[in-house]
Amino acid sequence: MSIKLTIAFMLVANVAGGLVEVLPTRSSQACCRDSTLRSCQEALVDPSVLLTREPLTLAGISLHFTSTIEPHGHVYKSAAGDEAIITYNQETGAVFGTLKTVTGDSFALEKCSLGFAWKEFSVDSFEADTAVLLDLPEDSTTGVLQAKAAADNVTAASYSVMFYYTPEFADITADIDGFIDQVLAETNQAYVQSGVPLTATKFCTERATIHDASGTGSSQLISAFRGMKASVAELRNTADSAVLLATDFSSCGVAYLNTIGSGNTISVCKKNCCLGYYSFGHELGHNMGLTHNKEVASNNYYPMGHGHLVAGGQAPLATTGVRTILGYSASGHRTRVNYYSNPSLTYQATGTPLGVVGEANNAAVLLANRLAMAAVGDETATCSGTSTSGATSTSAPTTTPPTIAGCLKVNAIPTMKPFGKKIKKVKDADACQKKCENEASCSYFKFKDHKQLKRRVCQLMQIKYNAKTTWTSGPKKCQ
């Protein structure tokens, strides 16, 4: 039998002291179950490198440490402007990361059930983000806080997010808290480099009681999310906003527009777009009054509150334009960059402005609304028994060495078990292996041959962990 390994897009980091070594083997774990992926490969990770702040090489790009970002992020950039954000929670050993290149390529490092996966997204296959209008009365205090913010554009503010996730999201995300840390770090980095003193924080996480599915409309899903609990206030759980993490619906994300005053600061974000496309910060921006670029949208609340299509520069700078976080894809502006429109800033790769005075300045709207957003909730509630709080962690510091962070299963032993029904009439072992390769949850397979085709059987297999006190288990390639 000949088993073919997928070696396309094989990218290997600087192994000597490097953060990531991408292996030539395709990962078959559930975290790779995503139709927008160009590739998803097994990876070895050494997060201790992050503590040295030494340069990294990812996807063949040399990156230098520039800063840290809340909650656990490390920011690296290249001379050309490529950006990597890697989160490493030393208490839990969780590692996540993203790399966005100036040419529009998008990569992610994700902790999966067994080890790590290095992903490359096909960004062109991502669907657009949407905003939904709600005609609701506003709280009178919003205007007071906006006036206060206008008189003080220096004081930093932070707002909290009550996170929910669908069962389908949980099925393909082994480390939900690590994922949340990553999208928060990306969003907070956007605020910093857009000149906005604002920080997004996690309040609690909770499993949703609604589902997402292919074909579900964006408006349908956010409406179901809004009605998931007795009231919007209960949904926010005293946080400033509520976000649903999902896997499959008709857009990259959807949010209610300009809803700080009514408290309907609600949004939904698709997993791949959250991690590879800045859709998390895009949707929360809608809650705070931001709209898309003027070519496709009008902002009736804030005339300057539009995204921006950034012009290309003159050689030797990049001659192809890009778009800010709220910008829609357009000819010559395919790549979305981690900035909110701001005419006082210049995009490094093109040397051109990131906004237009009076027309495209989403940073100014964020600045004006930051205090009001931070005052929507009071964060006095507690997390439910099935959720975790971002404010007070109950996790004890781990003594696991950094090189095996997240690999070990405590009080458990691995067993090989079949999943799904036996597949009959499979031609041969090669065909059975192909079925395993195409099923993200399949780790191994077994094939029973017979001279009659109808008696031939293919059974897909996966690793499962059974509880076993005092035993600790893990994969072979853990460091």
Side-chain angles (χ1 to χ4, degrees), residues 19 64 92 113 125 227 233 249 323 360 400 406 414 452 465 476:
L19 171 69
H64 295 271
T92 65
S113 296
S125 66
F249 58 103
R323 54 192 169 111
T400 303
Q452 296 181 22
Y465 281 88
K476 176 181 178 180

Side-chain angles (χ1 to χ4, degrees), residues 327-352:
Y328 257 32
S329 183
S331 177
H333 304 273
R334 183 180 68 87
T335 300
R336 180 185 277 181
V337 295
N338 199 22
Y339 289 84
Y340 293 95
S341 58
N342 186 337
S344 66
L345 299 177
T346 299
Y347 183 57
Q348 176 186 342
T350 60
T352 52

Side-chain angles (χ1 to χ4, degrees), residues 317-402:
L317 296 175
T319 57
T320 301
V322 295
R323 54 192 169 111
T324 60
I325 291 173
L326 272 290
Y328 257 32
S329 183
S331 177
H333 304 273
R334 183 180 68 87
T335 300
R336 180 185 277 181
V337 295
N338 199 22
Y339 289 84
Y340 293 95
S341 58
N342 186 337
S344 66
L345 299 177
T346 299
Y347 183 57
Q348 176 186 342
T350 60
T352 52
L354 279 159
V356 177
V357 175
E359 178 181 305
N361 193 350
N362 273 334
V365 179
L366 290 172
L367 195 64
N369 286 333
R370 73 192 192 282
L371 301 182
M373 182 65 170
V376 173
D378 60 13
E379 293 83 30
T380 56
T382 57
C383 300
S384 70
T386 58
S387 62
T388 57
S389 170
T392 56
S393 172
T394 57
S395 301
T398 177
T399 57
T400 303

Side-chain angles (χ1 to χ4, degrees), residues 61-358:
I61 299 171
S62 297
L63 302 151
H64 295 271
F65 174 83
T66 62
S67 62
T68 57
I69 192 72
E70 292 295 328
H72 303 289
H74 302 255
V75 182
Y76 292 80
K77 292 192 177 186
S78 72
D82 307 285
E83 181 179 87
I85 300 176
I86 312 295
T87 58
Y88 175 36
N89 185 331
Q90 291 180 258
E91 288 190 351
T92 65
V95 181
F96 262 80
T98 51
L99 168 65
K100 311 296 170 57
T101 73
V102 293
T103 56
D105 296 319
S106 178
F107 302 89
L109 174 68
E110 180 170 352
K111 171 67 182 67
C112 304
S113 296
L114 295 172
F116 294 85
W118 177 257
K119 302 178 175 184
E120 181 178 7
F121 295 99
S122 175
V123 178
D124 289 338
S125 66
F126 287 171
E127 295 170 292
D129 299 271
T130 57
V132 178
L133 290 172
L134 285 176
D135 186 13
L136 295 169
E138 294 194 356
D139 189 320
S140 60
T141 60
T142 300
V144 175
L145 290 169
Q146 288 174 329
K148 182 178 179 181
D152 173 12
N153 61 5
V154 177
T155 299
S158 65
Y159 67 92
S160 59
V161 181
M162 177 70 202
F163 283 93
Y164 295 89
Y165 54 90
T166 64
E168 292 76 18
F169 182 92
D171 286 344
I172 63 170
T173 312
D175 184 0
I176 294 173
D177 285 336
F179 180 93
I180 290 171
D181 279 355
Q182 180 66 27
V183 296
L184 287 173
E186 284 196 341
T187 303
N188 290 333
Q189 177 63 14
Y191 294 147
V192 167
Q193 58 194 18
S194 301
V196 181
L198 184 62
T199 302
T201 64
K202 180 181 75 172
F203 182 57
C204 299
T205 61
E206 185 177 318
R207 187 183 180 97
T209 57
I210 60 174
H211 295 260
D212 65 84
S214 178
T216 303
S218 299
S219 296
Q220 177 186 355
L221 185 56
I222 195 170
S223 179
F225 179 43
R226 185 180 179 221
M228 191 177 77
K229 295 198 173 184
S231 68
V232 171
E234 185 179 339
L235 186 70
R236 285 192 289 99
N237 193 33
T238 73
D240 299 311
S241 61
V243 174
L244 176 67
L245 302 174
T247 62
D248 201 356
F249 58 103
S250 64
S251 67
C252 261
V254 58
Y256 292 126
L257 179 61
N258 194 44
T259 49
I260 292 176
S262 68
N264 282 267
T265 44
I266 298 170
S267 61
V268 183
C269 192
K270 187 182 290 185
K271 179 180 178 179
N272 48 21
C273 300
C274 277
L275 202 60
Y277 204 48
Y278 309 124
S279 287
F280 180 79
H282 179 118
E283 303 310 332
L284 282 160
H286 280 319
N287 289 162
M288 289 182 265
L290 314 187
T291 57
H292 305 134
N293 50 291
K294 285 201 73 172
E295 289 80 1
V296 297
S298 295
N299 194 329
N300 297 323
Y301 306 100
Y302 307 97
M304 81 293 283
H306 299 90
H308 184 55
L309 301 182
V310 182
Q314 299 293 321
L317 296 175
T319 57
T320 301
V322 295
R323 54 192 169 111
T324 60
I325 291 173
L326 272 290
Y328 257 32
S329 183
S331 177
H333 304 273
R334 183 180 68 87
T335 300
R336 180 185 277 181
V337 295
N338 199 22
Y339 289 84
Y340 293 95
S341 58
N342 186 337
S344 66
L345 299 177
T346 299
Y347 183 57
Q348 176 186 342
T350 60
T352 52
L354 279 159
V356 177
V357 175

